Amino acid sequence: MSPIYEARRVSYRAGGRALIEDIDLSIAGESFTIIIGPNGAGKSTLLRVLCGELAPSQGEVVFNGVPLPTIPAWRLAHGRAVMPQASELGFPFTVLEVARLGVEGIGRGLSRVQRLHLVVEALEEADVAHLAGQNYQTLSGGKRQRVHFARVLAQLAAGRTVEARQVLFLDEPVASLDLKHQLSLLEKARCLTRNGVTVVAVLHDLQLAAEYGSTLALMRSGRLIATGSAESVLSSDNLSETFGVCLAVPGLPPSPWTLQLKRSEKKAHN
């Protein structure tokens, strides 16, 4: 599968200093790439440059072989969806209305009823359908994150009528979620890759990254230190150098929480 996204010698500077520097990253289609590293490593900055929120100070970002700045905004909205760390709304929208923002102006040949159906399906996938009529501003941080996950799921579903190759960007998507919904969100994101969507996420939890990422990208001080499988990236040397602590970890085992989730899902299926 050819790369769907590429960062070519990308740097981004602000306030007189480089937040990311000389990044080369190739993201394969239908992969789950997880960017990891300590606080201040430049993970979120790289994600924002990749999705087009920030323009690189140097280098270029290419989406489907086309330089990102040359892609019309309407087409980009069909091909990529972004879920930031946190989102604030100044209006008393209901949960349904917030999720519906994902399909506004997105898609081709969709009736109003079909768009609503996509939104309701997305709310169910994110486990917030029961909150559809509730004021978004009254929700906890975790529930707000799930609502925005529903929004991007709906956007991707509608956008698929125009763009076959899509990318979902997730910036710390599980930071405010309880354990059940952390695992559920990451599992659903992984399922998207089996249906043609490429997922790029920022995570702090190395064990979750090792469990869910098909490719890990390790950052330190604005630079990309290593990319590849969990076994190759999460070496003792890489972790010790990056996090500044002595770690003797030949490779992180699957999380007991995810193992338990799989057992529960298998039991339910049977």
Side-chain angles (χ1 to χ4, degrees):
M1 181 70 69
S2 62
I4 188 170
Y5 243 92
E6 292 179 274
R8 300 174 178 172
R9 307 299 293 265
V10 165
S11 298
Y12 180 79
R13 294 178 174 83
R17 67 187 187 93
L19 300 184
I20 58 172
E21 192 165 9
D22 205 22
I23 300 286
D24 280 311
L25 180 62
S26 180
I27 298 172
E30 301 177 24
S31 64
F32 194 162
T33 297
I34 298 181
I35 305 170
I36 57 175
N39 291 337
K43 303 183 298 298
S44 292
T45 301
L46 175 58
L47 193 84
R48 293 171 68 191
V49 169
L50 288 174
C51 72
E53 182 180 339
L54 298 176
S57 305
Q58 178 181 313
E60 67 173 353
V61 176
V62 176
F63 179 24
N64 272 329
V66 181
L68 197 63
T70 68
I71 302 174
W74 70 267
R75 192 164 200 98
L76 192 59
H78 287 80
R80 69 99 174 90
V82 183
M83 180 177 160
Q85 287 188 41
S87 300
E88 295 296 330
L89 291 175
F91 300 96
F93 290 158
T94 65
V95 165
L96 178 65
E97 289 169 334
V98 173
R100 188 182 285 169
L101 293 174
V103 300
E104 291 299 325
I106 305 295
R108 178 182 297 153
L110 294 173
S111 67
R112 184 174 181 179
V113 172
Q114 288 173 318
R115 291 178 189 277
L116 180 59
H117 180 67
L118 293 178
V119 172
V120 171
E121 280 191 336
L123 290 171
E124 291 172 348
E125 284 289 305
D127 193 25
V128 285
H130 61 291
L131 303 174
Q134 190 164 327
N135 186 332
Y136 170 85
Q137 295 174 324
T138 66
L139 301 181
S140 66
K143 288 178 179 177
R144 290 185 181 191
Q145 281 294 83
R146 285 153 53 195
V147 172
H148 282 288
F149 187 55
R151 174 182 58 78
V152 294
L153 289 178
Q155 180 183 344
L156 290 171
R160 206 165 295 133
T161 60
V162 174
E163 289 288 349
R165 300 188 79 193
Q166 297 177 302
V167 181
L168 172 60
F169 290 98
L170 304 169
D171 192 0
E172 290 290 356
V174 302
S176 57
L177 300 183
D178 57 38
L179 182 59
K180 171 187 174 182
H181 290 104
Q182 285 183 28
L183 300 179
S184 176
L185 186 149
L186 291 173
E187 191 60 42
K188 290 183 191 322
R190 181 158 59 183
C191 286
L192 287 174
T193 66
R194 299 169 188 150
N195 295 316
V197 178
T198 302
V199 180
V200 183
V202 169
L203 287 183
H204 268 104
D205 190 310
L206 298 183
Q207 198 151 31
L208 289 177
E211 171 67 17
Y212 286 97
S214 58
T215 301
L216 302 189
L218 178 62
M219 295 189 68
R220 177 172 64 89
S221 301
R223 291 183 176 272
L224 196 58
I225 303 302
T227 59
S229 66
E231 290 77 11
S232 64
V233 171
L234 298 178
S235 67
S236 298
D237 288 345
N238 281 343
L239 294 179
S240 297
E241 177 187 358
T242 302
F243 292 94
V245 294
C246 293
L247 295 171
V249 185
L252 294 179
S255 164
W257 301 112
T258 54
L259 289 176
Q260 183 61 41
L261 178 66
K262 289 177 181 177
R263 293 191 192 102
S264 299
E265 289 176 342
K266 183 176 180 181
K267 184 177 180 180
H269 181 73
N270 292 336

